Amino acid sequence: MLSLSVSLEDQATVLRVAGELDLSTVPEFKTFYEKHKPINGLIVFDLAGLEFVDSTGVGSLLAIWKDLNQNQQPFSVCNLSEDVYEVLDVMGVPAFLGEEHFKRSSF
């Protein structure tokens, strides 16, 4: 099961992702992101409630983050659990995009 929400906090768009981001939930996540992505300004991906992510989920996140990075739109990924960070780290995501985007605490 996947739970998604969006809010505006401190002039940042905060997208909260909770539950499982995998092959069965990636389409829902992509649709949600396309509907709520801001044209400009900081985007914060709050992954505090993300319990599981598979390679399909990482691929969808990476595609979004890579696009934001290339378009020089500021983004941050916060509240990463040890398990989720380890999956991203093993796949080289923080090293590829820059460690400065990834925070284990809140933004």
Side-chain angles (χ1 to χ4, degrees):
M1 176 145 302
L2 182 66
S3 174
L4 303 164
S5 64
V6 63
S7 62
L8 187 60
E9 298 175 26
D10 297 326
Q11 299 180 357
T13 300
V14 180
L15 302 175
R16 289 184 176 78
V17 182
E20 299 178 359
L21 186 57
D22 58 20
L23 180 63
S24 66
T25 59
V26 161
E28 179 184 354
F29 171 69
K30 286 182 177 179
T31 300
F32 175 83
Y33 175 75
E34 288 300 320
K35 182 178 179 181
H36 296 287
K37 71 178 180 181
I39 296 171
N40 55 26
L42 176 64
I43 302 174
V44 176
F45 294 85
D46 185 340
L47 304 184
L50 189 61
E51 299 166 0
F52 175 80
V53 61
D54 70 2
S55 60
T56 308
V58 172
S60 67
L61 290 168
L62 181 58
I64 290 168
W65 297 339
K66 184 179 171 188
D67 184 59
L68 292 170
N69 206 30
Q70 288 176 340
N71 291 316
Q72 298 179 344
Q73 185 164 1
F75 74 96
S76 178
V77 183
C78 69
N79 292 321
L80 289 157
S81 71
E82 287 294 324
D83 291 340
V84 171
Y85 184 81
E86 185 176 338
V87 170
L88 295 175
D89 192 41
V90 165
M91 297 181 87
V93 175
F96 177 70
L97 293 173
E99 291 280 347
E100 68 274 8
H101 295 293
F102 298 88
K103 298 171 181 61
R104 306 237 173 130
S105 59
S106 63
F107 74 102

